[in-house]
Amino acid sequence: MPGDPISAALGDRLSAEQIEVRRQAAGLNDPILVQYGRYLGGVVQGDLGTPATDPRNVRQIVFDLVPATFELTMFAMVVAVVIGILVGAIGARYRDGPFDVGGRIFGIVIYAAPVFWLGILAQLLFANRWGLLPSGNRISARIVFEDPTGFYLLDGIITGNWALWSGALKHLLLPGMTLGLVISGVFIRMVRVNMLQTLRADYVEAAQARGVANRRVVFAHAFKNALVPVVTIMGLQFALLLGGAILTETTFSWPGLGQALVEFINRRDYAAVQGIVTFFAIMIVIVSLLIDIINGLLDPRVRY
Amino acid sequence: MPPLSGRRVTALRIRVEHALRPWRRANPMARRLVLLGSVITLGFAFLAAFPSLVAPYGEAQYRHVVGTNEDPAAAEGRCGDEFECEDIPRRLSPDTGFPFGTTSGRLDVLSRVVWGSRVAFSIVVLSTVLAMGIGVPLGLISGYRGGKLDRVLVTLMDAIYVIPGLLLAIIIAFVLKAYFAPGLLSAAAAVGVVYIPQYYRVIRNHTLSVKQEPFVEAARSLGAKPNTIIGRYVLFNVVQSVPVIFTLNAADAVLTLAGLGFLGYGVPYPQAEWGLDVSRAISDVVSGFWWTAFWPGLAIMLLVTGLTLVGEGLNDIINPLLRVRGFRGRVPRRLEPAPAADTPVEVNLSPAPTQENP
């Protein structure tokens, strides 16, 4: 990295010797590998580093901002899964019919749309032109509330504060729907393909042979089994969702980790950027692990 | 060249027929979608190649010589002396002179969109060259040599692959910015790094299987050096997977570039990049001017749709394992286990390795 935090902060105020002393004390003169080992040791103990431009340490920043990001991404995930399952399953049932073709084209086109562009169009229509929904931030400044968890929807229920709950939901709708719609393109395709494969399975034929109603075969017998791989996809999409969250948060000035990351990059705060990126990476690994475990529970054929 | 004899023509025709067979057998819907995608992609490629034929104004042109669209900066002489100059009006809504409207910076949105396709294509090509240039050789060596090197590289590539593409591109752009002035090359590098693991993986896995072929063993027993074997016998057998990965990645690369540009880490203004143009239009949206954000975003969406249709369609058609002809609903038992034509795209599927031409 060019320069270091000490000469960047104090370079014009201290002499070269004094800076050298401080560099030595901060361990910046050690070999890179030693410094890296020290950093990893800190990460293992939950120390993600100390930003140069923010009084909080990275762990504190993450704790403060992660609820906003997770509320957004989870809402988006629900939107994506619901749309994906509905459109995908119905499309597979009436394969190559108008609904199926329409759904597939929708899936490709919506996935091709840049999420920030959809967000801006949504703001333009729903917030500016029609004034239906707010278009930035998580909650309006007028509402007084307590936030024990930081997840405003949850806090609203816990504290019985309905103004908070409905306000948070209104603020969440535009960014959450935008991100969810974009991600739903993947789900539509995956659910459809899984459903088509499941519909060819022997037990489906067996059910039909026993005279079970067609609707029941599709939506009770095949559907459940087609959903197992969807869990895997949800895990794989998590990384995509985080990437999308960076753009969505910037578009909707949503005070989450993604927006903070962009701000720290603009301020060239290497320590903060490194800490947040490390946190993202840890989250992705944890989610992948969880997905593997859930898969094992859902599908008895999976063995590790 | 000798004139083509009848036999030669027949031989040629058989070859062409053979190459086209997957295409003929594909289901008509898949073919239509590929054609649609090609038309869109070629349209943008045309704009990228000849932007000045379509764009009424230059990339960063904010005024013009009265009576023409010419940029005074490019014209002979000075404004007010040899000819009269006129500024392009600010924030003009789409009308006859400016079909897509103008920005607050006096730029013609149509021209920006057209010039933007050039930046998009340049970055896609440059980033692909980078990703291939690193991913393919590493994959070849890693797959052929195996051992410790292979394990280290696989782990490294997996680690890169796990990071969300856009995040990785941002980080690379962030680091590069400290050393180089931002521009086409550094943006391409940031985008390209994201796709190295994909080329690496496919090439490595393919190399692993080609390595077992008798002709490689034969070459080895004749005393060919590893470099010769890799370069002459393995490379040409695995390189056929590259175009498939390219078509699949290109769409994603356009989106990654747009995201980078939107956040301000792509190419610098006033170069025309769609994501950058959308981000500069945010303030317009608040005041109700829709056209500055709408058109560049639509261009991104169209190009990505086109590339996706081509990539996934071709992948389905070329890939014999995934091909099943236009069945409606259920498939006869004997065709199992071939999955439907629209099974999720598996990048590392490719035809069995071919022997050197006899």
Side-chain angles (χ1 to χ4, degrees):
Chain A
M1 289 293 150
D4 62 74
I6 292 176
S7 36
L10 304 165
D12 44 356
R13 274 179 272 164
L14 296 179
S15 67
E17 293 84 47
Q18 281 169 309
I19 285 182
E20 195 51 37
V21 170
R22 285 171 196 240
R23 278 178 58 93
Q24 193 72 43
L28 290 173
N29 286 345
D30 298 339
I32 292 290
L33 273 182
V34 174
Q35 292 190 40
Y36 183 59
R38 196 156 48 217
Y39 177 74
L40 280 188
V43 169
V44 171
Q45 292 164 37
D47 174 14
L48 288 165
T50 316
T53 60
D54 196 301
R56 300 171 292 178
N57 65 20
V58 174
R59 183 163 55 160
Q60 196 54 47
I61 294 174
V62 166
F63 272 122
D64 288 350
L65 298 182
V66 113
T69 300
F70 274 20
E71 202 165 48
L72 173 65
T73 45
M74 280 179 200
F75 188 87
M77 186 65 101
V78 170
V79 171
V81 168
V82 168
I83 296 179
I85 287 180
L86 279 180
V87 178
I90 299 176
R93 170 70 186 78
Y94 302 102
R95 188 176 181 189
D96 292 337
F99 186 89
D100 186 30
V101 173
R104 285 164 73 187
I105 292 178
F106 171 80
I108 291 180
V109 171
I110 200 74
Y111 189 67
V115 62
F116 52 86
W117 179 66
L118 277 188
I120 287 176
L121 293 187
Q123 283 181 359
L124 188 72
L125 288 180
F126 292 94
N128 290 4
R129 188 145 301 180
W130 298 329
L132 294 176
L133 292 167
S135 75
N137 233 319
R138 290 180 74 192
I139 194 81
S140 71
R142 278 170 309 186
I143 292 181
V144 186
F145 62 95
E146 291 170 65
D147 54 341
T149 63
F151 291 83
Y152 288 176
L153 285 181
L154 208 58
D155 291 335
I157 295 172
I158 293 175
T159 59
N161 187 344
W162 294 111
L164 170 63
W165 192 83
S166 65
L169 184 65
K170 270 187 197 160
H171 281 81
L172 191 53
L173 270 177
L174 279 188
M177 290 291 288
T178 308
L179 185 55
L181 269 178
V182 171
I183 308 282
S184 76
V186 186
F187 281 92
I188 293 176
R189 190 165 53 190
M190 296 297 178
V191 171
R192 178 176 177 276
V193 167
N194 284 325
M195 194 73 183
L196 283 177
Q197 280 178 350
T198 326
L199 281 177
R200 275 194 243 126
D202 288 336
Y203 58 81
V204 169
E205 201 166 354
Q208 277 173 332
R210 289 202 309 274
V212 179
N214 217 352
R215 175 187 299 257
R216 204 177 142 67
V217 172
V218 173
F219 290 103
H221 293 240
F223 188 57
K224 261 190 265 170
N225 288 290
L227 283 193
V228 174
V230 173
V231 176
T232 317
I233 305 158
M234 280 171 66
L236 293 177
Q237 294 312 309
F238 182 72
L240 188 68
L241 208 51
L242 278 185
I246 299 175
L247 293 173
T248 316
E249 287 180 5
T250 313
T251 313
F252 286 95
S253 19
W254 186 262
L257 266 186
Q259 205 197 16
L261 179 72
V262 172
E263 267 168 34
F264 281 123
I265 290 181
N266 287 339
R267 285 191 238 152
R268 302 191 167 221
D269 190 330
Y270 295 104
V273 172
Q274 191 179 13
I276 294 177
V277 170
T278 310
F279 175 75
F280 276 159
I282 294 172
M283 283 317 300
I284 291 170
V285 172
I286 292 178
V287 167
S288 315
L289 185 68
L290 280 181
I291 293 296
D292 281 351
I293 294 172
I294 294 176
N295 250 337
L297 294 177
L298 282 181
D299 189 344
R301 286 169 301 182
V302 176
R303 284 278 167 272
Y304 296 107
Chain B
M1 203 176 147
L4 290 172
S5 67
R7 238 179 100 191
R8 278 192 149 206
V9 171
T10 317
L12 191 70
R13 198 192 289 152
I14 289 172
R15 284 203 155 190
V16 171
E17 284 290 314
H18 185 75
L20 283 179
R21 204 191 294 157
W23 172 256
R24 297 239 166 86
R25 283 192 181 172
N27 108 27
M29 190 62 184
R31 282 195 302 203
R32 249 173 265 153
L33 288 181
V34 171
L35 282 181
L36 177 65
S38 319
V39 169
I40 298 175
T41 309
L42 288 178
F44 275 105
F46 177 80
L47 294 185
F50 311 104
S52 42
L53 285 186
V54 185
Y57 299 94
E59 192 173 16
Q61 185 184 346
Y62 60 93
R63 52 185 191 159
H64 62 101
V65 177
V66 173
T68 67
N69 287 340
E70 208 180 348
D71 190 352
E76 294 276 323
R78 285 220 314 263
C79 284
D81 294 347
E82 284 80 9
F83 42 75
E84 287 304 311
C85 294
E86 192 181 35
D87 283 348
I88 292 176
R90 280 176 201 280
R91 290 182 171 173
L92 196 65
S93 62
D95 78 353
T96 43
F98 304 90
F100 287 3
T102 64
T103 71
S104 49
R106 300 189 184 281
L107 300 172
D108 173 41
V109 178
L110 172 62
S111 307
R112 294 287 289 179
V113 169
V114 171
W115 284 95
S117 58
R118 169 167 276 194
V119 170
F121 269 85
S122 323
I123 301 262
V124 168
V125 170
L126 285 174
S127 62
T128 307
V129 169
L130 175 90
M132 271 187 211
I134 298 177
V136 171
L138 282 185
L140 278 171
I141 296 169
S142 175
Y144 189 79
R145 292 267 304 274
K148 242 182 217 161
L149 176 80
D150 184 43
R151 258 171 285 154
V152 170
L153 279 176
V154 167
T155 315
L156 181 74
M157 291 293 172
D158 278 355
I160 298 179
Y161 193 67
V162 162
I163 304 175
L166 179 64
L167 184 59
L168 183 61
I170 294 174
I171 298 168
I172 304 287
F174 174 54
V175 173
L176 285 179
K177 208 174 169 183
Y179 299 95
F180 305 100
L184 273 186
L185 276 180
S186 56
V191 175
V193 170
V194 177
Y195 302 100
I196 294 176
Q198 305 191 17
Y199 286 96
Y200 167 82
R201 274 184 172 196
V202 175
I203 294 295
R204 173 188 170 270
N205 293 345
H206 206 156
T207 305
L208 278 181
S209 70
V210 171
K211 199 170 91 174
Q212 309 296 335
E213 294 290 319
F215 62 86
V216 172
E217 209 181 322
R220 209 179 299 144
S221 64
L222 285 172
K225 292 190 195 102
N227 285 348
T228 320
I229 299 179
I230 293 179
R232 180 168 295 179
Y233 303 110
V234 180
L235 176 65
F236 288 102
N237 277 296
V238 298
V239 90
Q240 44 181 299
S241 345
V242 167
V244 177
I245 321 172
F246 169 68
T247 50
L248 291 175
N249 282 346
D252 203 51
V254 175
L255 275 182
T256 308
L257 171 70
L260 263 190
F262 179 75
L263 295 173
Y265 309 120
V267 296
Y269 191 78
Q271 265 185 302
E273 196 274 315
W274 295 327
L276 179 67
D277 278 10
V278 174
S279 82
R280 294 181 68 88
I282 290 183
S283 52
D284 295 350
V285 169
V286 177
S287 21
F289 305 114
W290 56 272
W291 54 89
T292 44
F294 179 76
W295 299 109
L298 188 69
I300 301 172
M301 190 170 94
L302 269 179
L303 178 57
V304 174
T305 305
L307 287 170
T308 311
L309 288 177
V310 174
E312 305 206 337
L314 278 188
N315 198 44
D316 287 353
I317 289 172
I318 292 171
N319 200 327
L321 291 176
L322 298 179
R323 196 169 54 235
V324 171
R325 244 175 125 169
F327 288 108
R328 285 178 165 263
R330 315 218 13 230
V331 173
R333 277 241 67 90
R334 62 193 151 77
L335 275 164
E336 304 265 293
D342 38 23
T343 305
V345 176
E346 275 279 328
V347 178
N348 58 358
L349 283 170
S350 44
T354 49
Q355 184 90 39
E356 294 282 275
N357 280 331

